[in-house]
Amino acid sequence: SDSVCSNFSTNAYTVPAGTGRQWNMIGGNFVGSSTGSTFIINFPGDTARLRLVVTSGLGCKDSTSKKLTKVPFVPIFATAPSAWVCQDSTITINASGGFSSVSWAPTTGLTLPNTRSPKAKPNDTTDYIVTSNGPGGCVAKDTIQLKWVPRIAAAGPDSILCSGLQRIIGSNQPSGYKNYSYLWSPSAGLASDTSFRTIATLSNSGGSNQTATFVQTARHRASNCISTDTVRLVVKPLPVVNAGPDTAVICSGLSTLLGTPESVSAIYQ
């Protein structure tokens, strides 16, 4: 008895070459010749019987037969809780239906690719194909695409600036990544707190350096994947400049003291 998958419209058979062959079929029909060593059959029901009669050159005959049984085809379905996967995150993909054995491909980024529910951690958008092989040559397949979402937050390099000056923070948005929203925190001193790149204007009226820390949050709108990056700006206070009190009158040939006591952290010209 042979098993035949029910989703096959036709089935091909090959036997050793010879002469004097005549194939007969009960419950089905031949597609093309029924006298060669290779032939194609189809049968609409659940079973059929295939019979071969061989006649020798001396007129002797022999025969054999085989029962054909259709095996129900069982489709397989690949699913995931989301079509998106954040960078460095894992997601469980699932296979339902099919036959007892399953395998996933490609195996890159998968744990236990020969199980129905492996964990996937791709490093790019990936199409995962699940295959399930059954009796009678049945092969069930399905595909699921996981769209990879990279972390793109980029607050820029740390830097130093003088009080009252400006510094551009952030970077140019990567090409192809337009479906993000951005938020800077804190927003004080920034020209915009919702752009990928913005201008920071900072003041320091104290006597020592001050550090301002800004955090950029980038959120992918469709998946809600979030990435953050931080930039630190050291704001130096302006030096105190004092030339001293005005002198109304000074006699010719005399001298007067200008300025105030020297600060070791300043350069005078």
Side-chain angles (χ1 to χ4, degrees), residues 1 50 92 172 207 228:
S1 176
L50 187 63
T92 300
N172 291 325
T228 61

Side-chain angles (χ1 to χ4, degrees), residues 6-141:
S6 63
N7 71 332
F8 294 167
S9 59
T10 60
N11 298 273
Y13 288 86
T14 300
V15 296
T19 59
R21 300 168 182 270
Q22 179 63 53
W23 293 92
N24 296 307
M25 190 171 184
I26 301 174
N29 55 73
F30 292 90
V31 180
S33 174
S34 62
T35 59
S37 57
T38 299
F39 54 93
I40 299 174
I41 63 171
N42 62 35
F43 59 101
D46 294 332
T47 61
R49 183 167 291 276
L50 187 63
R51 185 169 182 264
L52 170 64
V53 178
V54 180
T55 304
S56 71
L58 299 177
C60 299
K61 293 186 178 183
D62 194 10
S63 66
T64 184
S65 66
K66 176 179 290 189
K67 182 180 180 180
L68 305 179
T69 303
K70 280 188 177 179
V71 176
F73 175 78
V74 183
I76 195 167
F77 302 97
T79 59
S82 173
W84 308 92
V85 57
C86 306
Q87 181 178 347
D88 295 329
S89 297
T90 60
I91 189 172
T92 300
I93 53 179
N94 299 284
S96 59
F99 303 95
S100 59
S101 67
V102 297
S103 61
W104 294 86
T107 59
T108 304
L110 291 183
T111 62
L112 304 176
N114 294 321
T115 62
R116 287 188 174 270
S117 300
K119 293 185 181 298
K121 188 180 180 180
N123 56 16
D124 202 349
T125 296
T126 304
D127 290 336
Y128 286 107
I129 303 171
V130 61
T131 301
S132 183
N133 295 313
C138 289
V139 180
K141 291 187 177 185

